[in-house]
Amino acid sequence: MSTKVRTADTRERILTAACEAIAEIGFEKIRMRMVAERAGVSTALLHYHFDTREKLFTEAMTHSFANTAVDVERDAETAPAAVILARIVRNLLPTDPELHQDWRLWQELWVRALRDEATRTYAVDLYAQLHAWVAGAVRRGIESGEFTPTDVDELCTLVLSLSDGYGIRLMLRDPAVTLETALAAVWRHVAGPLGLPDTVPEGG
């Protein structure tokens, strides 16, 4: 195994461990030593890759988002645009254990962003990346003729806002909101402006 591959593997293990630790006990309580032990590396090696907790936190958030995007877009060149968009909508909600963990990271980010300017700036940038992710899928569908043209930015802002609202209720285990009703409600607001059926497409 080359040095470059070993370095990438080490960073992957550290970031995965950091995501798990932050989701389980919260950013304010984690210590670098905890993450190092969970990743199976020395504290010195952890500090070599991430010299502060703040840097580790932001890299962990980026890592989490990137992994989700790669999985959703795996067949974007061949799958119908509606299917890709539906997958994105599903992945914006805590629909499985991995995404539930991602949501806990986002909640930690929101709390920290209210008190720390650098984190607030980072959070706004992450939202811009999410916005671009949704917008890319919508524009592909419009360009291919699968979607009715609409105001893309307005629709993306609505999708992210609805996903946040329903996602919080789901994370709180609010009995008035189920995963099925949340997904259906968000999709209806997506489907209407794009001229799509109200039902979430198969494979989405």
Side-chain angles (χ1 to χ4, degrees):
M1 184 184 294
S2 69
T3 300
K4 186 175 181 180
V5 171
R6 281 199 304 273
T7 299
D9 179 66
T10 299
R11 284 181 64 87
E12 175 77 22
R13 284 190 288 126
I14 290 171
L15 290 171
T16 298
C19 288
E20 292 171 356
I22 294 166
E24 284 179 20
I25 64 175
F27 174 74
E28 299 302 333
K29 292 182 180 179
I30 68 163
R31 298 293 177 265
M32 299 292 263
R33 175 180 51 78
M34 297 176 186
V35 176
E37 290 174 355
R38 189 182 288 250
V41 302
S42 68
T43 305
L45 184 56
L46 173 60
H47 279 285
Y48 171 77
H49 288 283
F50 307 98
D51 53 357
T52 66
R53 284 197 316 153
E54 287 70 21
K55 185 174 181 181
L56 179 60
F57 179 55
T58 55
E59 290 275 357
M61 289 294 305
T62 302
H63 172 77
S64 173
F65 170 62
N67 281 353
T68 298
V70 167
D71 180 59
V72 169
E73 301 271 358
R74 62 188 180 276
D75 55 354
E77 298 304 316
T78 56
V83 169
I84 299 299
L85 184 57
R87 284 184 196 158
I88 291 175
V89 169
R90 186 180 293 277
N91 277 267
L92 291 173
L93 295 169
T95 51
D96 62 31
E98 239 178 80
L99 291 168
H100 194 275
Q101 175 178 288
D102 288 350
W103 259 85
R104 291 180 72 104
L105 293 178
W106 272 99
Q107 290 174 312
E108 290 291 325
L109 180 69
W110 290 334
V111 171
R112 185 161 177 75
L114 294 175
R115 303 188 181 100
D116 179 74
E117 179 61 20
T119 306
R120 185 198 67 79
T121 301
Y122 175 70
V124 170
D125 181 64
L126 265 187
Y127 266 108
Q129 292 181 51
L130 283 176
H131 188 101
W133 188 35
V134 179
V138 173
R139 289 194 175 98
R140 281 202 302 269
I142 292 173
E143 289 166 7
S144 69
E146 295 176 65
F147 298 164
T148 300
T150 190
D151 186 321
V152 176
D153 287 330
E154 183 178 286
L155 180 62
C156 292
T157 298
L158 178 63
V159 169
L160 294 180
S161 299
L162 287 170
S163 298
D164 280 351
Y166 278 111
I168 290 169
R169 301 280 291 277
L170 290 169
M171 291 296 289
L172 292 173
R173 298 193 297 277
D174 185 336
V177 178
T178 68
L179 182 55
E180 290 72 22
T181 58
L183 182 59
V186 177
W187 182 254
R188 278 198 304 274
H189 284 86
V190 172
L194 297 178
L196 299 171
D198 283 349
T199 307
V200 180
E202 290 285 332

